Amino acid sequence: SSSSYFFAGAAISRSLVRVENLKKDSLQSDKIFLDCLEQMGCEVAFKGNAVEVKGRKLRGIRVDLGNAPDIVPSLAVVAAVAEGKTVIENISHLALKESNRLEAIVKNLNACGIRAFSSGDSLEIEGGNPKGSVIKTFDDHRIAMSFSVLGIHTCGMVIDNPACVTKSFPNFYSELDKVYGV
């Protein structure tokens, strides 16, 4: 699911990103994330062994991510800048990850001025114009990476423990900088 952050960056910044080694018939959650982005308005094109995502005007969606929990934080930050409401369903198990990801997402989106709440099994996000904030990662690498991506769109984003990304993607910030110059 590491490519979801770069796809989310393209969606949020309305730019183009190309990721190698992801096939159209992949069973990885990255492929599910691409389906979500396409529903939200992005252009997604598979070209051989690569995929390109072009960000466009985004709209909220309703989606069941029970089988793809690792992409929920990435989708949540994209939903923060989409027009309308996004509902992500069947995700109660996110409370049992490295952090309570449902709570972490809601608290951080609210801190950014985005209306979000969790009903235990779902997450609702009303898109808008997020503002910079200090992001509490709860030592969760996926929260840190997702909200770092939101910083592409939103000035003043501060990640309280950026080093927690070393759990899954030690060079995340250098790769994000190569693509988006953050």
Side-chain angles (χ1 to χ4, degrees), residues 14-177:
R14 294 190 183 182
S15 62
L16 174 71
V17 71
R18 178 183 175 95
V19 173
E20 302 288 331
N21 300 316
L22 183 62
K23 296 179 182 176
K24 190 172 189 167
D25 60 352
S26 172
L27 299 177
Q28 297 295 318
S29 58
D30 298 297
K31 172 62 173 82
I32 296 166
F33 189 68
L34 291 169
D35 295 340
C36 293
L37 291 181
E38 203 163 35
Q39 290 175 50
M40 295 179 91
C42 292
E43 290 180 27
V44 176
F46 287 89
K47 297 182 177 187
N49 205 28
V51 63
E52 292 180 351
V53 171
K54 172 89 170 128
R56 297 279 188 226
K57 184 176 180 182
L58 299 167
R59 62 186 170 275
I61 60 171
R62 179 177 291 268
V63 63
D64 182 331
L65 290 183
N67 291 329
D70 289 344
I71 63 169
V72 172
S74 298
L75 186 60
V77 299
V78 173
V81 301
E83 186 176 292
K85 185 191 305 186
T86 295
V87 179
I88 306 170
E89 299 174 312
N90 197 22
I91 55 171
S92 61
H93 51 297
L94 261 67
L96 307 173
K97 295 292 185 176
E98 287 82 347
S99 70
N100 179 336
R101 286 191 182 148
L102 286 173
E103 183 179 299
I105 291 167
V106 168
K107 284 184 178 185
N108 285 314
L109 286 176
N110 290 165
C112 292
I114 297 298
R115 218 179 115 244
F117 70 92
S118 169
S119 65
D121 194 40
S122 67
L123 177 62
E124 291 190 25
I125 301 161
E126 188 66 42
N129 189 21
K131 60 182 176 56
S133 182
V134 174
I135 301 302
K136 297 184 186 318
T137 64
F138 302 94
D139 297 321
D140 189 323
H141 56 130
R142 297 200 189 281
I143 298 300
M145 290 185 283
S146 296
F147 281 88
S148 294
V149 168
L150 186 57
I152 294 168
H153 178 274
T154 305
C155 293
M157 201 66 73
V158 176
I159 307 299
D160 77 347
N161 179 11
C164 68
V165 304
T166 59
K167 176 178 182 178
S168 62
F169 199 158
N171 59 339
F172 172 75
Y173 292 108
S174 64
E175 293 300 316
L176 190 66
D177 187 52

